[in-house]
């Protein structure tokens, strides 16, 4: 629901508004090649901006006019000559070119496989289950929808509740989705967090995940990114049960 | 005082035990893969990779990757039994049950895109991915993530709507009437795929790559939606040509013979359900 609403809002915003192209907000710092982040994708644009702020990279933001595609396949970044649309790919690419080895565990280390898992999970397994649970919730017309859990060995496929339980397990051992330290997988995982807490879930059971979100969004680079990423990038309103938990 | 201290220590011990148990559930060490009797292939513990598989599911593409790279692997599933194969994965001592799940180097791991990057990094020796300095590298990365990002999120959502109307991937052309589901986002996906393949031979750019393996799953669903809505194949010539080139790859054909043994590659793509018995050698259905 939320990503669809963000997509609809972004499209509506672009449809009639008079955007100015350019809006350069260059930051001083290291950058091997020019980096532009396009502000057509709502909260997606926050991610490469946050990455750039964490690394101290120079970048500019640009609003796209006359958008002929929907936000999902619109350009997100341009780095040098490369234009990219996918958030996780954009972060991986910027890191590989401008800051190799930064904001990630070393390749071949014990934390590296999990870093890869969460990097992909955020948009793939995580969001695909959210979409399916949203569809079910809407078809059930339920204000207290609980994604059907698999309590350690029952029938049925995984769903958002199972994914949340797995995240709690993981965070028992590691402080961040990128390993012992904050990294790019954490930037990507806030997207899942912000869509995962269906009304029927009990936030007390996901205390580590909630704590993680508080820690990463308290980072100064996150706050700077939020200020630069445009009005669409405002954090979504927390579900009522999550607000109560805090 | 002594009773309170004992109680406090007991609570702390329980808390630590609970914490340790939780962490174990995420990534328990496993010196060998857990495999029950009755699976399609005998288990060879000398093989470095075990792929837990369900016929017709994404695990096929991890098997395909292993075939392309020549990694010896066990393929664990029950032939012609999708629920049973899923049961093997659900019985693993891990929190998340998906196909593909792999066992490799003493631990279980899931998430297709991550598995591709991991296995390429560890076993690839530079194959199936462009060098980081190559102009193909950002192209490869974008399509690697598009597959399960914009790709499948939109194809899956639209197909769910079509399925609810009775227009399935497995009965194309057999149902009366036209679907009402709005598939414009899927068509947009296909448009960008066609535009890319008009400039490059592969989703990885100039060469076949892990991104192409990841994209095949999305491709199957995208062309199915194209056909369900009554469009001709000629609407997306480069997209269909790419698919045909993938299916002609020897490693792909070896994979399908092993991972979907009752449905040979040239007999079905969008029309065959895994496990539906078609004797080998049945001529392909007219399309």
């Amino acid at each position: 629901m939320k990503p669809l609403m963000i997509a609809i809002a972004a499209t509506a915003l672009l449809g009639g508004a008079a955007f100015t192209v350019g809006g350069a907000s260059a930051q001083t710092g290291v950058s091997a090649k020019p980096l532009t982040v396009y502000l057509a994708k709502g909260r997606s644009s926050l991610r490469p901006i946050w990455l750039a702020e964490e690394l101290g990279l120079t970048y500019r933001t640009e609003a796209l006019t006359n958008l002929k595609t929907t936000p999902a396949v619109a350009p997100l970044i341009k780095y040098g000559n490369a234009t990219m649309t996918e958030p996780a790919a954009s972060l991986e690419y910027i890191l590989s070119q401008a800051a190799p080895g930064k904001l990630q565990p070393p390749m071949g280390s014990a934390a590296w496989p999990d870093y890869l898992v969460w990097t992909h999970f955020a948009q793939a397994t995580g969001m695909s289950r959210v979409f399916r649970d949203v569809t079910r919730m809407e078809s059930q017309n339920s204000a207290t929808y609980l994604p059907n859990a698999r309590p350690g060995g029952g029938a049925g496929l995984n769903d958002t509740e199972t994914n949340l339980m797995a995240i709690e397990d993981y965070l028992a051992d590691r402080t961040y989705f990128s390993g012992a330290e904050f990294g790019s997988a954490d930037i990507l995982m806030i997207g899942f967090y912000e869509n995962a807490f269906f009304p029927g879930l009990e936030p007390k059971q996901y205390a580590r995940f909630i704590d993680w979100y508080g820690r990463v969004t308290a980072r100064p680079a996150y706050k700077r990114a939020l200020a630069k990423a445009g009005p669409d990038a405002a954090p979504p309103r927390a579900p009522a049960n999550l607000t109560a938990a805090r | 005082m002594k009773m309170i201290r004992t109680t406090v220590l007991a609570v702390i011990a329980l808390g630590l035990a609970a914490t340790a148990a939780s962490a174990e559930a995420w990534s328990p060490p496993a010196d060998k893969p857990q495999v029950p009797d009755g699976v399609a292939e005998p288990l060879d513990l000398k093989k470095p990779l075990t792929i837990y598989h369900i016929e017709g599911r994404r695990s096929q593409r991890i098997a395909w990757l292993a075939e392309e790279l020549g990694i010896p692997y066990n393929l664990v599933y029950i032939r012609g039994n999708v629920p049973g194969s899923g049961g093997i994965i659900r019985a693993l001592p891990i929190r998340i049950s998906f196909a593909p799940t792999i066992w490799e180097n003493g631990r279980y791991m899931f998430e297709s895109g991550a598995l591709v990057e991991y296995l390429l990094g560890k076993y690839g020796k530079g194959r199936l991915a462009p060098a980081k300095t190559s102009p193909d590298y950002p192209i490869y990365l974008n399509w690697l993530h598009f597959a399960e990002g914009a790709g499948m999120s939109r194809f899956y959502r639209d197909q769910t709507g079509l399925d609810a109307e009775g227009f399935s991937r497995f009965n194309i052309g057999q149902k009366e009437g036209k679907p009402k589901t709005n598939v414009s986002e899927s068509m947009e996906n296909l448009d960008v795929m066609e535009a890319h393949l008009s400039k490059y031979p592969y989703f990885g750019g100039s060469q076949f790559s892990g991104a192409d393996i990841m994209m095949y799953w999305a491709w199957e669903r995208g062309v199915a939606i194209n056909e369900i809505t009554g469009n001709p194949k000629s609407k997306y010539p480069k997209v269909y040509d790419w698919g045909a080139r993938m299916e002609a790859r020897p490693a792909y054909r070896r994979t399908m013979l092993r991972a979907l043994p009752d449905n040979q590659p040239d007999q079905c793509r969008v029309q065959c359900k895994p496990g539906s018995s078609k004797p080998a050698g049945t001529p392909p259905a007219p399309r």
Side-chain angles (χ1 to χ4, degrees), chain A residues 8-242:
Chain A
I8 290 169
T11 313
L13 210 56
L14 289 157
F19 276 85
T20 47
V21 174
S25 26
Q27 303 298 305
T28 55
V30 173
S31 182
K33 286 185 182 169
L35 170 63
T36 302
V37 181
Y38 298 108
L39 302 184
K41 292 184 72 170
R43 203 131 162 92
S44 276
S45 62
L46 175 73
R47 303 193 228 285
I49 294 173
W50 186 3
L51 186 84
E53 290 287 346
E54 291 282 352
L55 295 169
L57 288 183
T58 306
Y59 67 96
R60 58 189 288 275
T61 60
E62 184 176 313
L64 290 175
T65 56
N66 302 317
L67 194 67
K68 290 191 174 58
T69 59
T70 60
V73 294
L76 177 62
I77 66 153
K78 186 167 180 184
Y79 184 87
N81 289 329
T83 299
M84 302 178 77
T85 65
E86 287 285 331
S90 301
L91 300 198
E92 272 198 74
Y93 185 62
I94 294 168
L95 286 175
S96 73
Q97 304 301 298
K102 292 256 168 68
L103 294 183
Q104 61 196 279
M107 187 166 151
S109 66
W112 177 59
D114 287 336
Y115 163 79
L116 291 175
V117 168
W118 298 119
T119 294
H120 285 263
F121 174 98
Q123 286 295 124
T125 295
M127 286 312 295
S128 73
R129 290 304 177 264
V130 164
F131 288 147
R132 194 176 60 179
D133 283 325
V134 163
T135 307
R136 286 179 179 163
M137 180 171 76
E138 288 172 344
S139 69
Q140 289 174 25
N141 201 23
S142 167
T144 56
Y145 174 73
L146 177 70
N148 182 41
R150 176 191 70 88
L157 297 172
N158 285 290
D159 48 54
T160 304
E161 183 164 11
T162 315
N163 289 334
L164 285 167
M165 292 195 296
I167 284 167
E168 276 305 283
D169 287 347
Y170 170 83
L171 289 172
D173 217 16
R174 295 236 165 83
T175 324
Y176 294 98
F177 292 104
S178 307
E181 294 173 10
F182 174 84
S184 60
D186 298 90
I187 294 177
L188 294 165
M189 280 297 289
I190 66 166
F192 176 72
Y193 178 95
E194 289 163 2
N195 285 285
F197 282 93
F198 288 85
L201 291 168
E202 177 49 69
K204 286 199 194 70
Q205 295 179 350
Y206 310 108
R208 296 185 193 120
F209 197 26
I210 294 171
D211 173 73
W212 163 85
Y213 184 77
R215 279 186 281 120
V216 301
T217 52
R219 293 175 70 89
Y222 171 81
K223 294 184 197 286
R224 290 197 300 272
L226 206 51
K228 304 272 179 2
D232 274 355
R237 218 157 43 87
N241 61 341
L242 207 54

Side-chain angles (χ1 to χ4, degrees), chain B residues 46-76:
Chain B
K46 292 193 298 297
K47 293 180 176 174
L49 177 64
T50 294
I51 302 171
Y52 291 90
H53 171 56
I54 302 175
E55 288 171 301
R57 299 291 171 90
R58 287 168 169 80
S59 40
Q60 272 161 205
R61 61 184 172 189
I62 304 304
W64 181 11
L65 182 73
E67 290 286 347
E68 292 281 355
L69 292 178
I71 307 172
Y73 65 101
N74 294 301
L75 195 67
V76 177

Side-chain angles (χ1 to χ4, degrees), chain A residues 70 92 120 125 150 158, chain B residues 95 97 111 117 142 145 188:
Chain A
T70 60
E92 272 198 74
H120 285 263
T125 295
R150 176 191 70 88
N158 285 290
Chain B
R95 179 64 80 176
S97 299
E111 194 61 57
E117 288 206 75
N142 208 67
H145 285 273
E188 189 175 47

